[in-house]
Amino acid sequence: LWILLSLALAAFAYGPLKGAGPVGEDFQVLDDVSRIAWPAEGEGPGLSGLLEVHGQDERPLAALSLIITSRVWTDGGAWTPGAVFSLRLENLLLLLLAAIGISRFLRRMLEPWSGREQARAVSHAARVLVALHPLAAGAVASASARGDLLGAALAAFAANMFLRGRQ
């Protein structure tokens, strides 16, 4: 029942993003990504421009992720509404991965002190709050937030693995 309720709330929260186009600085980000992912004839691979993607603040992993997205979902670098929706779907999956990582970290951190049931309840609550928080919709909608979502997911799982190694 809780899973169905969570999915219904997620559909309600992120449903409006399906038909929306790029927002804010996404135009510049998507243009830079397309220029690197789909170099003009005569140019070599554009991976040297990973640090030059607008809005990524010299985060090459986020830029590389966007380049791979461009190669998979766009047609020669043209960002159609379907490609933008796919980008947002990837961002939503990264947010859900971050929520799962935070949940596992909290469960592993709190279980020795508060017991299994309380740690499990806190981890479930944290997962739902992270995934369905109103401010998360902005991160899912924006292409320039890819680095933040990647960082949150990787940091949460790294913290979880650190605690796993210590226990």
Side-chain angles (χ1 to χ4, degrees):
L1 178 66
W2 283 104
I3 294 173
L4 291 175
L5 180 62
S6 297
L7 289 175
L9 287 172
F12 180 72
Y14 299 111
L17 296 177
K18 183 180 185 307
V23 295
E25 64 182 15
D26 284 352
F27 292 105
Q28 182 66 40
V29 172
L30 297 178
D31 183 51
D32 287 350
V33 166
S34 293
R35 180 181 40 80
I36 296 169
W38 300 93
E41 284 192 39
E43 292 183 16
L47 293 181
S48 61
L50 283 178
L51 299 176
E52 299 170 5
V53 175
H54 181 80
Q56 295 307 310
D57 301 325
E58 297 184 357
R59 292 181 277 188
L61 184 60
L64 183 62
S65 173
L66 287 170
I67 288 169
I68 292 170
T69 297
S70 175
R71 293 294 293 186
V72 170
W73 299 113
T74 65
D75 184 24
W79 287 92
T80 62
V84 173
F85 175 70
S86 299
L87 170 82
R88 289 185 175 148
L89 193 59
E90 288 179 8
N91 282 353
L92 179 60
L93 290 175
L94 284 172
L95 177 69
L96 294 177
L97 274 175
I100 290 168
I102 290 168
S103 170
R104 289 184 178 202
F105 169 72
L106 286 173
R107 182 184 299 183
R108 189 168 299 277
M109 183 178 72
L110 294 175
E111 194 170 316
W113 290 285
S114 63
R116 183 177 210 106
E117 280 186 40
Q118 286 81 10
R120 188 169 179 248
V122 168
S123 74
H124 288 308
R127 183 182 314 143
V128 170
L129 286 174
V130 169
L132 297 177
H133 195 279
L135 292 177
V140 170
S142 177
S144 58
R146 176 65 66 99
D148 299 332
L149 293 170
L150 275 170
L154 292 174
F157 280 104
N160 181 40
M161 297 313 283
F162 173 76
L163 284 182
R164 183 177 177 194
R166 298 280 297 165
Q167 291 177 346

